[in-house]
Amino acid sequence: EESSKASLSSSSSSSLSSSSSSSVTPALHQAWEVRVPASPVLSAAPLSVLGVGGVIGMAADGVPIFAPPPTEEDGAFARELAQRDACGGLALSEEGGGFDGGGRTLHHGQYHYRTLPTCLASAVQAMSDGHAGLLAFMLDGLPLYGPEDIGGLPPSDLDECGGHTDEGRPWYHYHARVQFPYTVACLRGCLDPRTAPAANPRLANAQERCVVGAGQTDQSALHSLQWTLAGAASERGLLLGGQYAGSVSVEMACPALEPGQGLAHLRYTLNGEDPVAGGAPGQGYGLGTATVVVTADGGTLKAMCEAAGTLPSAVTESPPLHVQEVAYNPSWLATAAFWNLSDAGARFGVYERERRRVQGLCAESRGVTIAPAYLQDASSEGVGALWLAPPDCTADFPVWRGAAQPDLDQLATSRWGIGGIFFDGAGALRGLVGVESVSDLVTRKALPEEALSVEAWTTLEGPPRGEGVVVGVAMRAPGFLGKGWYISYTRDAVAGTVTWALAVSTEGSDNFGRGGLASVRATMAAAEIGPYWLHVAGTYDGRDLRLFLNGTLLAQEPACASQLCGKVTYPVRDGLYVDTEVHFGVGGLDLVGQELGHRGVVAHVRVLSEAMSEAQAQAAAARMQAGLQLLRCPRGQAGPYDGLAPCQPCPPGTAGRVGGAAACEVCAPGTFAPGSGNTECTLCPGGEMTTREGAESEAECTGPDFCRSLQHTCAALATCIPAPGSFSCQCLRGFEGDGQECRAVCGDGTRVAGEECDDGNVLSSDGCDAACRVEQGFECGPAGGGGPDACV
């Protein structure tokens, strides 16, 4: 582990007997905290510890291991051997003789090992191949095992320090021995100058003698991956949601490495094969974390973590992922509503109303039955369903007086191979109306506020005159300047023109609570439009209004007179200016006092809480070439509109690791991607680092990885984060500082090194004082379920 808090304790009435003398070791309690590197670095010039004295390692039972004497003939050491107990340990008294060339140990009087810890060696279970179990970690981070090698026999190839590698353990490790020097004669690994002197001050200058040789494997293997299904919901055993339509997003994260060692490399596959260390064709990669989009093809995601000088983690796998096709991604650009009027499966439900007979006002001959009457909203938690609202009194409308009353299936039609709902001012007299009121939608924050995009596929048909609305949610009235937004058009038969308009009210355009609809308009010849499918879109980005037609920016105007216009405002019922409930409208809009309809077919309507870019608007309009089909972009390409065709190859320095991506991923520092259409970023060889993100060739792999090569100045209690040509330091959880220096945060509820307790506050007299020390008469420990300490 990165650090080991060890203690040895027994009751006051017990004792430890010695097999070599009549002496006993009195019961005692002692606590140690020794930090060792989790990713050791081997030295080309081992450091001799013969005669150094003091702590050189920590046994697995919490007992420190002291350095051996200069020679086996050392007189003081001989006297110690005669006094050691049955477990091979000894606690010298303050008056006892020393053994460091006549001097005393640095931790005089503490129970310790200097020979083979026999009780521990007997208790530790051997491995399946007969190799002895783990006894200790030395201060250089390298492990010390018992005397037996593979097959249960003593090793025959130990070097001068007492270590080697073997077939089952390809990392360097030490073996304890039954003869001098019993543990290790020298330390093969480099000592960390930030932590070693705390355990043994005599090793303070040891790092100056270290000649870096090679990396060493990490004895604390990387943990199992963390899996998170981001934005996914379960329905009928299938997964919905994620990065785009018909997909689920799986987020994975490797555990943190030893402070100062940077981030692990995450490798994964979705083709059923196990990922391998170092990478392989078709294998995904992420630095520390990765988000993988699993499409409708599904599969099982397998992943592993690795890092320089560490043992790779075991391959872990997700449960089988089965993803249901959906019309569109309900989270792309924070979709607030998506109505697919061309999808028969989105039409549902029955609306019924008894006939109305009001003398002198309405005399209906029959009630109203509409089936299907509702249109589903494909967004996850958006605006909600629309419904085909009948006239208040059907007696005045011949199409509604008959037995076969209009419904959504009857109004469905197609133009040039694309389906939709036909709005003719008769059957869909009022258009499709939102089921929920604006007041309710604002309460549950379902409407765009900070920014807005609205797009629709529609045709213009019927007489070439008058005003119409494609989609909107707004209200205007005498004395009320209007709130909400809508996309409208005005057809002038005499001039032969069509004027498109986007109107939006914002906080910046409001006039003392009476609203204020600002608009952007563009006029064109009707002949340029014709009776064909049109993609009309409008956006608001907090400052400007933009109006697009077929992917072309027609006009742009400020939404208010200020630099920032604030949120979009909506006509919420207030009993003053707005005394009735207002609803969404598609193919028509009741502005209260003025009802505007639409003549034409509407196929798709989408409302988003972010402003589409011009490139996204162009891609949205270009989708007509594919007949509005859901053709996802392959790996190595991206589609600016929701990851759908039309697609563009990923440029150099980026990669499209998964299909259906709306944007290519920029290669992380330490990776590069040459040419176009890359499906993966390639890791720089030899642990080198690029000078920037988005590197385009191996030639840019020139600088060192300051974290992996330990050429950084991060504190021991900080994590080194690699960056192009540099690095940054971030203090561990529970500590604060600039990363060069980190100190414990008393009162944050996380007990860390240097704190006796942390109860989540800096109050005194509650057991844990303002300096996070246990107060007299109290005992503090972890509370049930985790969190701050509890003191009693």
Side-chain angles (χ1 to χ4, degrees):
E1 295 289 342
E2 167 194 319
S3 64
S4 172
K5 281 192 174 181
S7 63
L8 173 70
S9 62
S10 59
S11 66
S12 59
S13 60
S14 64
S15 64
L16 300 174
S17 300
S18 171
S19 61
S20 57
S21 71
S22 59
S23 64
V24 297
T25 300
L28 58 104
H29 175 277
Q30 59 190 41
W32 293 83
E33 181 173 326
V34 176
R35 300 178 65 87
V36 301
S39 298
V41 176
L42 298 183
S43 173
L47 173 68
S48 174
V49 293
L50 297 177
V52 169
V55 178
I56 60 170
M58 180 65 68
D61 59 2
V63 177
I65 296 175
F66 280 17
T71 66
E72 189 174 10
E73 291 74 25
D74 182 82
F77 181 60
R79 291 192 297 274
E80 180 186 341
L81 289 177
Q83 300 178 61
R84 64 190 175 94
D85 62 19
C87 292
L90 176 70
L92 293 180
S93 68
E94 290 294 335
E95 291 75 28
F99 43 79
D100 288 328
R104 295 184 176 185
T105 67
L106 298 176
H107 295 281
H108 219 47
Q110 299 286 345
Y111 187 85
H112 63 276
Y113 299 132
R114 294 185 74 197
T115 61
L116 175 66
T118 52
C119 295
L120 178 61
S122 299
V124 174
Q125 184 176 357
M127 300 183 183
S128 59
D129 59 0
H131 192 282
L134 177 68
L135 296 183
F137 279 102
M138 310 313 288
L139 290 186
D140 56 4
L142 300 177
L144 173 71
Y145 290 86
E148 298 82 15
D149 199 2
I150 296 176
L153 300 174
S156 59
D157 59 345
L158 297 181
D159 63 13
E160 69 272 28
C161 293
H164 73 158
T165 62
D166 60 51
E167 183 177 349
R169 281 143 294 278
W171 59 87
Y172 185 90
H173 58 278
Y174 302 114
H175 278 274
R177 286 161 284 185
V178 296
Q179 71 278 348
F180 184 83
Y182 300 101
T183 56
V184 300
C186 53
L187 295 177
R188 174 66 68 180
C190 293
L191 298 179
D192 190 330
R194 302 166 299 177
T195 58
N200 191 337
R202 294 190 178 183
L203 300 175
N205 299 322
Q207 181 67 17
E208 298 176 3
R209 289 174 276 172
C210 180
V211 180
V212 176
Q216 166 69 7
T217 46
D218 187 347
Q219 300 307 311
S220 57
L222 295 171
H223 316 317
S224 297
L225 291 172
Q226 302 171 11
W227 301 85
T228 304
L229 296 177
S234 178
E235 181 175 315
R236 296 187 299 279
L238 301 176
L239 293 171
L240 303 175
Q243 294 265 329
Y244 60 89
S247 70
V248 63
S249 173
V250 182
E251 296 181 355
M252 300 176 293
C254 291
L257 297 178
E258 163 78 5
Q261 298 300 312
L263 300 174
H265 300 286
L266 177 63
R267 303 193 184 278
Y268 61 88
T269 62
L270 194 57
N271 57 9
E273 299 179 359
D274 286 348
V276 297
Q283 193 170 292
Y285 168 77
L287 186 60
T289 62
T291 299
V292 182
V293 179
V294 182
T295 62
D297 296 333
T300 298
L301 190 61
K302 296 185 176 182
M304 60 171 288
C305 297
E306 65 169 338
T310 68
L311 285 176
S313 72
V315 174
T316 61
E317 61 182 60
S318 70
L321 300 174
H322 304 288
V323 184
Q324 177 178 320
E325 286 281 359
V326 293
Y328 274 82
N329 171 16
S331 61
W332 182 70
L333 284 186
T335 296
F338 175 70
W339 297 290
N340 187 353
L341 288 73
S342 65
D343 181 10
R347 307 169 200 147
F348 70 99
V350 178
Y351 171 80
E352 293 183 301
R353 189 189 75 194
E354 295 183 355
R355 70 172 183 169
R356 291 177 175 174
R357 297 182 66 86
V358 181
Q359 186 174 3
L361 295 177
C362 180
E364 294 182 340
S365 58
R366 67 181 71 248
V368 174
T369 300
I370 308 173
Y374 299 91
L375 183 71
Q376 179 184 7
D377 177 5
S379 67
S380 53
E381 297 181 0
V383 171
L386 305 175
W387 70 297
L388 178 60
D392 291 335
C393 182
T394 61
D396 299 330
F397 301 93
V399 72
W400 285 93
R401 289 200 299 262
Q405 295 172 325
D407 59 46
L408 291 180
D409 285 344
Q410 291 181 22
L411 298 176
T413 185
S414 65
R415 298 287 189 272
W416 299 279
I418 297 177
I421 298 296
F422 181 49
F423 298 89
D424 61 356
L429 181 69
R430 299 169 58 187
L432 302 184
V433 180
V435 173
E436 283 192 74
S437 69
V438 169
S439 298
D440 290 340
L441 294 174
V442 169
T443 298
R444 66 180 183 89
K445 299 186 181 301
L447 296 174
E449 294 184 342
E450 305 290 344
L452 165 72
S453 292
V454 57
E455 59 165 342
W457 282 100
T458 185
T459 65
L460 291 186
E461 303 179 27
R465 61 181 181 275
E467 186 177 0
V469 167
V470 178
V471 57
V473 51
M475 172 187 167
R476 295 185 315 212
F480 183 67
L481 302 179
K483 288 186 178 182
W485 55 263
Y486 59 90
I487 290 180
S488 66
Y489 58 87
T490 302
R491 305 170 75 183
D492 188 330
V494 176
T497 60
V498 176
T499 299
W500 293 93
L502 167 67
V504 179
S505 68
T506 64
E507 293 172 330
S509 63
D510 186 77
N511 190 337
F512 299 101
R514 295 187 299 126
L517 285 162
S519 64
V520 56
R521 300 174 181 272
T523 301
M524 62 184 58
E528 297 181 33
I529 297 176
Y532 306 111
W533 281 108
L534 304 170
H535 179 265
V536 57
T539 68
Y540 166 66
D541 62 2
R543 174 70 181 99
D544 293 321
L545 303 177
R546 294 180 177 86
L547 184 63
F548 298 88
L549 186 68
N550 294 336
T552 300
L553 178 62
L554 298 181
Q556 175 177 330
E557 294 289 345
C560 67
S562 304
Q563 287 296 319
L564 297 175
C565 300
K567 298 180 180 179
V568 177
T569 58
Y570 290 93
V572 175
R573 186 173 184 175
D574 58 10
L576 180 62
Y577 296 112
V578 183
D579 58 2
T580 185
E581 293 292 358
V582 180
H583 294 260
F584 244 94
V586 172
L589 187 62
D590 183 0
L591 292 174
V592 184
Q594 183 183 17
E595 292 189 0
L596 297 177
H598 175 56
R599 292 296 182 93
V601 181
V602 177
H604 294 173
V605 174
R606 190 166 188 169
V607 181
L608 307 115
S609 295
E610 294 183 21
M612 282 196 298
S613 66
E614 189 167 353
Q616 289 167 332
Q618 291 172 353
R623 294 192 60 248
M624 176 60 70
Q625 300 171 5
L628 302 185
Q629 296 182 50
L630 302 179
L631 300 178
R632 294 188 179 85
C633 298
R635 296 179 67 221
Q637 298 184 25
Y641 184 90
D642 208 2
L644 302 173
C647 309
Q648 302 170 357
C650 293
T654 68
R657 297 186 294 112
V658 295
C664 299
E665 299 180 29
V666 178
C667 292
T671 65
F672 63 95
S676 299
N678 292 286
T679 58
E680 300 289 344
C681 295
T682 303
L683 192 65
C684 286
E688 293 181 331
M689 176 63 68
T690 57
T691 57
R692 63 185 180 100
E693 293 183 342
E696 301 177 8
S697 70
E698 185 177 339
E700 295 189 59
C701 300
T702 57
D705 185 328
F706 288 90
C707 296
R708 290 168 59 186
S709 62
L710 300 181
Q711 299 181 51
H712 62 82
T713 57
C714 296
L717 298 171
T719 296
C720 179
I721 302 173
S726 183
F727 62 91
S728 61
C729 304
Q730 181 176 345
C731 292
L732 299 178
R733 181 173 178 266
F735 297 88
E736 63 181 2
D738 60 3
Q740 309 287 329
E741 295 183 359
C742 297
R743 54 192 174 277
V745 181
C746 181
D748 66 347
T750 301
R751 177 157 37 111
V752 296
E755 295 178 333
E756 296 179 3
C757 57
D758 196 320
D759 58 356
N761 64 64
V762 290
L763 303 176
S764 297
S765 301
D766 61 356
C768 185
D769 67 16
C772 284
R773 295 187 299 263
V774 178
E775 296 176 305
Q776 185 175 3
F778 285 87
E779 292 185 0
C780 300
D789 288 338
C791 300
V792 294

